[in-house]
Amino acid sequence: MFPYLEVLVFLPAIAGVLLFFFPSEFPARYYRRLGLSLSLAELVVAVVMLLKFKTGVAGYQMTSSYRWIPSFGISWSLGVDGISLFLVILSVVLFPIAIFGSKETRDPKSFIAWMLVLEAACVGSFLVTDLFDFFLMFELTLIPTYFLMANWGFSLGGRAAVKFFVYTFLGSAFLLVGILALVFIHEASTGQLTFSISALAHTQMSSTAGRLLFLAFSVAFLIKAPVFPFHTWSPDAYSQSPISTAIVLGGVMAKLGTYGILRFDFQLFPQASRSLGWLILTLAVVGIGYGAITAAGESHLSRLVAYSSLSHMGFIVLGLFAFTTIGLSGAVLQMFNHGIYTAALFLLLGMIYSRRNTLDTSKLAGLQSKAPVMAGIFTVVMLASIGVPGLNGFIGEFMILLGAFVSHRWWAVVGVSGVILSAIYMLWAYQKVFHRKDPEQRGFKDLSVAEVATLVPLVILIVGVGLFPSLLLNRINPSVHKVLSEATPASSYQSSLGKVGR
Amino acid sequence: MNLVATVLSGAPIQFPSISYSSILPEVVFVGAAVLSMLLVAVLGQRDQTYGYTGLGVAAALFGGIWSYHLSQNVNARGAYAVVGGSLAVDGFSTFFMILTSVGVLITLLLAEAYLYKVSHRGPEFVALTLLSATGAMLMESAYDLLVLFIGLEILSISLYVMVSYTTSRRVSKESAFKYFILGGFASALFLYGLALVYGSTGSTNLGNIAAFLSKNTLTSNGVLLAGMVLILGGLGFKVAVVPFQFWTPDVYQGAPTSVTGFMSGVVKAAGFAALLRVFYFAFNTLRADWQPVLEIVAILTLLVGAVLAVVQSDAKRTLAYSSINHAGFILLGLYVASAASIGDSLYYLFAYTVMSSGTFGAISMIAHLEGRTEGTLSLADLRGIGRKYPKIALTLAILLLAQAGAPFTIGFLAKFSVLSSVVEAHHYVIAVIAMVSVVIAAVLYLRVTLSMYTPLTKDAEIDRVSTDPEISLGAVAVRVDEDTDLKVDAKVPVAAGLAMGLSVAMTVGFGLYASPLVQFASKAFLLR
């Protein structure tokens, strides 16, 4: 069989690395075209992979494994299941758009090279099935992001990059120690040294050890997501990144955190995930409210999106820790949805910025009459983000709240407030930017054809997923079922199924 | 005493039989050193240094290959001691001898490219490097504390001269003097410790010490413990662990950069080899006494190195502190003191030697191209070299990121393997502290790497802030002009290119194709 997953990881990785050794004399557009065509090739491979993906299979598909460092029990293993499938699709959709929408003119060769390396690291993180490989890929995302942010970011990009790097790397420090501890606990009880996720999933350990490891893993993922109170790097990072990187940060890399929770916390420490779920749930719900309220008071649009992201990631975590099939499936779906509309929002912000050189709502006004196309697309994206029925944001949030309400009623009740608040801050910002009368009556160009072309795929996805969510859910559900049944004692699993059925 | 009595009695002295094939690398190194000095006496040719470097490189290559051959022998037939039980030939010593040969190779190639441009020409540097490396090899295979001391002295005395090789500069003189005084002090510490250990165990042979300590329990072990601490101090000075690290930044800054690379690689490896063998083997039964000390030393070394590295402004001082941080990691392997953790320390040492000699090589290249004298290249001077010398900058960037522990490099695997041993021994807090020090140090490496690719121009902010097409286009137009001004035709000498290529190839190659080196290090057992 064609090695789809290997190509998905290695194509951008090798291309990105080779690009560094290219001469840098060529005009910028050549590098951009090269980067764009490579990421589009990646998209094609991923779409074929999506079509080959067997619906109704819970476990990993298209698996491959290669013994890499046998003395450490490390293999290079790849596989895709319903949980990672759409996150991979999300990544390969957003990268070409980010590269196409980028306006970076300085040192375009390195910019494209770093973007490709970042794509390989993101896709790789979702596809590997070995904890060591995951850690490698998870770490590898930091280096390109750091350079993209510091080198091509706004004036405070350097500081934001260091903050981002230190924060997430500190989380990784706990993750690495946790991974090693888990591996050695597993080795002590079975005599087998391995980093394979499926082998480690059935490790026998004391409940204290389980809880500590759960916390060590979770810190890394909560920082990456980010979830309150580990979010303080994100407003700076989102607002100081170049738009292309902000798209990846908010669209793809944030999902690494929630993906990690689902894949590792739930599969490796099912008991601890249930017994400490209340803690993470509380943080998530606080984040939903806090993010929404702060977003309402934020006048810088990028920072507003950062805080709204905090609120929305809180929803996803709420869905995960609801521990019901519908909540979990909703969370996985919402990871995809959030990536799509966040990316679209950042693209639109970049387009506004390139025309006005500011993203401050107090300095923007009256864009609707001058740029009706932009206003129209912005409206669709914004409504998706608010969660209006018929668009993709609604399905995910609805399933999450439904799932959470069944098992964790009061958290869900508080969480619902986030939906209302998100309508407030989004509409408010929209009103200020698009509907107010502009006192200075400055000109404002509407979207160019190229810019519309960048946005249309995302709008299609927003509407398409909103109308036909079952196309995704059919593929997500079996894997989610499997995670949940393995993470749940038999008796209570039956009862939770019963509740969902009602 | 025996020897004196034998001499006095007039009976013929019994010399131990020597298996020359087992000590061939040392013999070849000394031979090549002497030969190079003889050659210059006969030929009188000082200006063309290629021949001497070629001789040294050949010796290093031979030493490496022969050591590998010896290690295969050891794997097949088991470890053994030679020269009357004073030198061990085991997986451990052969591993280190290969490492030393690699370090010498890179040092000589870099010196050929740069050192002779700032200092007098001739065969002396090659000879000194080879002699110093011989001392290092003796330390690495010493099975007797006295032989260890002899190795230490051979290494040190050659090194004192190497550090002061560019005597015309004040920083260089200062650092040479500092290193000499403190080095002499450290040797004295070691010798005093040796005497105390001999006094309480009755032998200088490591095997005998280990056997004695496992059979007997001393009623009062104060003298022995004092001896142990003094040995730790003497060797700790050479490997620059806290609190014996104060000389490191000054000496690293002032010494010729090729020598700095040699010190951070070969010398550190020799010191650690001795530390590992003496403590893990000879004093193994006393580990309850030395482990707590090493725990504190390791933690301090990790943190002091990382934190102070971040606040430096000179390139070589920064790398000096970062080398202290790395030393902390290597020490962790000894602290855990399991068979696996010793292997991890060895792996780390190999990784560090490869990365740091390359890094110092790149720094010396840049300093030379920028017309800087030793010890005056500040981190600010690295700004913009990505445009001026793209190849060197890329090399330096790869090596710095590897030192930071970037995935898919030897640096990541080294940190990973040491941490795995620490966690396996349930020292979770120390593992977290070590990782925090990695985070701190990583900021430094990233900052340096970033600054290499930051444009020199003051108005760099303009195109940073703006993404407006028109303004950006204007900025590009300006930048193209600047490019032609900035671009320097940087010719990389062949020797330096080889050295850097070797360093980068090993850094990335063993990061991807990891298994051979991991297994080699984990099989480098000690002679018992």
Side-chain angles (χ1 to χ4, degrees), chain A residues 288-491:
Chain A
I288 291 175
Y290 173 83
I293 292 167
T294 320
E298 193 55 70
S299 63
H300 189 283
L301 285 173
S302 289
R303 296 180 71 88
L304 185 144
V305 176
Y307 281 111
S308 98
S309 233
L310 174 66
S311 180
H312 287 195
M313 292 312 284
F315 269 107
I316 294 173
V317 175
L318 177 67
L320 292 177
F321 280 90
F323 272 107
T324 52
T325 315
I326 191 161
L328 270 176
S329 294
V332 176
L333 181 64
Q334 187 67 357
M335 285 188 218
F336 181 78
N337 294 338
H338 177 255
I340 296 292
Y341 64 68
T342 307
L345 274 176
F346 273 121
L347 271 177
L348 285 161
L349 296 191
M351 289 162 190
I352 296 177
Y353 186 86
S354 70
R355 290 165 169 77
R356 279 288 156 81
N357 268 329
T358 181
L359 284 174
D360 194 334
T361 47
S362 60
K363 292 182 188 141
L364 294 165
L367 302 190
Q368 202 270 336
S369 56
K370 301 208 179 69
V373 180
M374 179 190 253
I377 295 181
F378 199 102
T379 312
V380 175
V381 175
M382 174 189 69
L383 292 179
S385 152
I386 294 172
V388 168
L391 300 176
N392 65 351
F394 169 74
I395 315 285
E397 259 174 28
F398 181 71
M399 286 173 71
I400 287 171
L401 287 172
L402 197 63
F405 191 77
V406 171
S407 59
H408 296 82
R409 182 160 302 175
W410 292 108
W411 281 280
V413 167
V414 180
V416 169
S417 67
V419 180
I420 301 153
L421 284 170
S422 83
I424 294 176
Y425 62 76
M426 273 296 177
L427 291 172
W428 210 349
Y430 180 80
Q431 203 179 5
K432 279 191 232 168
V433 173
F434 284 92
H435 280 173
R436 252 182 342 179
K437 263 239 160 64
D438 184 6
E440 296 168 45
Q441 293 292 329
R442 288 168 300 178
F444 192 87
K445 265 196 301 210
D446 205 346
L447 298 184
S448 67
V449 179
E451 285 169 328
V452 174
T454 331
L455 285 162
V456 161
L458 295 175
V459 173
I460 292 176
L461 280 172
I462 286 174
V463 179
V465 175
L467 294 178
F468 309 104
S470 57
L471 288 178
L472 278 72
L473 288 170
N474 284 345
R475 290 166 174 80
I476 294 171
N477 274 332
S479 296
V480 164
H481 248 302
K482 180 165 173 277
V483 171
L484 203 57
S485 61
E486 282 171 7
T488 317
S491 55

Side-chain angles (χ1 to χ4, degrees), chain B residues 50-318:
Chain B
Y50 307 116
Y52 307 120
T53 304
L55 185 63
V57 166
L61 282 174
F62 177 82
I65 292 166
W66 192 262
S67 305
Y68 184 72
H69 164 71
L70 284 178
S71 80
Q72 297 304 103
N73 267 359
V74 168
N75 275 350
R77 298 210 312 261
Y80 53 97
V82 292
V83 199
S86 63
L87 286 175
V89 180
D90 51 11
F92 186 85
S93 71
T94 48
F95 180 90
F96 271 107
M97 279 151 78
I98 293 171
L99 171 54
T100 304
S101 305
V102 172
V104 168
L105 191 66
I106 296 178
T107 307
L108 289 180
L109 288 174
L110 286 174
E112 173 61 39
Y114 295 106
L115 184 74
Y116 303 124
K117 297 205 166 91
V118 293
S119 181
H120 60 274
R121 298 172 157 267
E124 288 85 0
F125 187 82
V126 175
L128 286 168
T129 308
L130 288 173
L131 285 176
S132 187
T134 312
M137 285 181 165
L138 280 181
M139 285 174 78
E140 286 151 6
S141 47
Y143 203 61
D144 187 297
L145 284 175
L146 275 173
V147 174
L148 176 50
F149 179 70
I150 293 168
L152 180 66
E153 284 306 281
I154 295 176
L155 173 136
S156 304
I157 291 170
S158 318
L159 200 55
Y160 298 143
V161 187
M162 288 163 75
V163 169
S164 56
Y165 211 72
T166 48
T167 39
S168 50
R169 298 178 217 302
R170 206 183 59 79
V171 236
S172 209
K173 268 185 199 154
E174 183 198 324
S175 78
F177 195 63
K178 203 172 245 171
Y179 191 58
F180 176 62
I181 298 284
L182 288 173
F185 186 64
S187 293
L189 280 185
F190 181 85
L191 201 55
Y192 194 37
L194 188 160
L196 294 182
V197 170
Y198 176 65
S200 45
T201 61
S203 177
T204 55
N205 185 286
L206 296 179
N208 292 348
I209 295 175
F212 177 85
L213 289 175
S214 62
K215 284 191 201 110
N216 308 290
T217 318
L218 297 176
T219 45
S220 105
N221 61 358
V223 173
L224 180 60
L225 292 185
M228 219 165 65
V229 169
L230 289 171
I231 287 178
L232 177 64
L235 294 174
F237 171 84
K238 279 280 172 272
V239 299
V241 294
V242 176
F244 310 105
Q245 92 291 8
F246 292 102
W247 59 276
T248 320
D250 293 341
V251 175
Y252 275 33
Q253 185 186 7
T257 311
S258 319
V259 179
T260 314
F262 182 77
M263 285 167 86
S264 76
V266 173
V267 176
K268 204 165 248 199
F272 267 113
L275 262 183
L276 292 172
R277 196 189 284 277
V278 170
F279 280 80
Y280 180 64
F281 170 56
F283 297 148
N284 198 8
T285 43
L286 299 174
R287 63 166 64 184
D289 293 310
W290 54 257
Q291 265 181 331
V293 179
L294 280 188
E295 179 176 3
I296 296 166
V297 170
I299 291 175
L300 284 178
T301 306
L302 284 167
L303 291 178
V304 166
V307 172
L308 291 186
V310 177
V311 298
Q312 301 301 316
S313 60
D314 180 83
K316 276 160 81 185
R317 285 185 84 84
T318 313

Side-chain angles (χ1 to χ4, degrees), chain A residues 113-339:
Chain A
W114 281 126
M115 284 298 278
L116 289 173
V117 172
L118 184 57
E119 176 165 20
C122 288
V123 172
S125 301
F126 293 127
L127 286 179
V128 292
T129 59
D130 181 285
L131 260 181
F132 179 84
D133 302 339
F134 175 76
F135 185 79
L136 272 183
M137 289 299 184
F138 192 71
E139 283 305 281
L140 191 60
T141 59
L142 294 187
I143 296 169
T145 317
Y146 172 87
F147 284 106
L148 287 168
M149 211 186 280
N151 228 349
W152 289 273
F154 295 100
S155 51
L156 297 175
R159 285 181 56 188
V162 169
K163 196 170 175 181
F164 159 80
F165 183 85
V166 169
Y167 229 115
T168 37
F169 201 174
L170 265 180
S172 307
F174 288 95
L175 178 63
L176 179 60
V177 175
I179 287 175
L180 287 169
L182 174 70
V183 165
F184 288 120
I185 290 173
H186 182 261
E187 192 199 10
S189 62
T190 63
Q192 190 197 1
L193 184 65
T194 177
F195 284 80
S196 152
I197 297 168
S198 40
L200 292 169
H202 307 288
T203 307
Q204 299 294 321
M205 65 185 112
S206 72
S207 70
T208 324
R211 282 166 179 233
L212 285 173
L213 288 177
F214 169 80
L215 289 177
F217 274 66
S218 299
V219 166
F221 298 142
L222 294 182
I223 289 174
K224 198 84 170 188
V227 170
F228 181 87
F230 304 106
H231 64 278
T232 48
W233 60 269
S234 72
D236 289 345
Y238 284 32
S239 61
Q240 296 299 326
S241 293
I243 292 301
S244 50
T245 312
I247 291 171
V248 177
L249 261 183
V252 181
M253 285 173 67
K255 311 304 170 299
L256 276 175
T258 43
Y259 170 77
I261 290 175
L262 176 53
R263 174 74 83 213
F264 302 108
D265 279 354
F266 286 8
Q267 294 201 347
L268 300 176
F269 320 109
Q271 273 119 27
S273 303
R274 297 186 75 84
S275 62
L276 288 177
W278 61 270
L279 177 67
I280 314 286
L281 273 177
T282 311
L283 293 180
V285 169
V286 171
I288 291 175
Y290 173 83
I293 292 167
T294 320
E298 193 55 70
S299 63
H300 189 283
L301 285 173
S302 289
R303 296 180 71 88
L304 185 144
V305 176
Y307 281 111
S308 98
S309 233
L310 174 66
S311 180
H312 287 195
M313 292 312 284
F315 269 107
I316 294 173
V317 175
L318 177 67
L320 292 177
F321 280 90
F323 272 107
T324 52
T325 315
I326 191 161
L328 270 176
S329 294
V332 176
L333 181 64
Q334 187 67 357
M335 285 188 218
F336 181 78
N337 294 338
H338 177 255

Side-chain angles (χ1 to χ4, degrees), chain A residues 20-21 24-25 66 68-72 74 76 103-107 110 114 132 135-137 139-140 143 146-147 149-158 162 165-167 169-170 172-174 176-177 179-182 184-185 187 195 350 353-355 357 445, chain B residues 344 387 390 394 398 401 404-408 412-413 415-417 419-421 423-424 428 431-432 435-436 438-439 442-443 445-447 449-450 453-455 460-461 463-473 475-476 479 487 511-515 518-519 522:
Chain A
F20 280 112
F21 295 92
S24 43
E25 278 83 37
Y66 157 77
W68 185 14
I69 312 176
S71 51
F72 286 158
I74 293 168
W76 175 259
K103 296 205 167 56
E104 281 68 26
T105 47
R106 192 159 56 77
D107 199 359
S110 310
W114 281 126
F132 179 84
F135 185 79
L136 272 183
M137 289 299 184
E139 283 305 281
L140 191 60
I143 296 169
Y146 172 87
F147 284 106
M149 211 186 280
N151 228 349
W152 289 273
F154 295 100
S155 51
L156 297 175
V162 169
F165 183 85
V166 169
Y167 229 115
F169 201 174
L170 265 180
S172 307
F174 288 95
L176 179 60
V177 175
I179 287 175
L180 287 169
L182 174 70
F184 288 120
I185 290 173
E187 192 199 10
F195 284 80
Y353 186 86
S354 70
R355 290 165 169 77
N357 268 329
K445 265 196 301 210
Chain B
D344 295 333
R387 285 178 170 277
L394 189 60
I398 293 171
L401 290 177
F408 299 107
F412 177 85
L413 279 176
K415 289 186 165 62
F416 174 81
S417 60
L419 278 175
S420 71
S421 292
V423 171
E424 191 174 14
Y428 302 114
V432 171
M435 277 303 284
V436 169
V438 174
V439 177
V443 173
Y445 295 120
L446 285 179
R447 216 179 52 194
T449 313
L450 180 67
Y453 290 97
T454 313
E461 272 68 31
D463 65 337
R464 271 171 162 254
V465 177
S466 141
T467 43
D468 185 288
E470 274 92 15
I471 296 181
S472 302
L473 280 176
V476 166
R479 194 153 305 285
K487 206 119 205 170
L512 292 172
Y513 185 51
S515 240
V518 170
Q519 278 182 346
S522 64

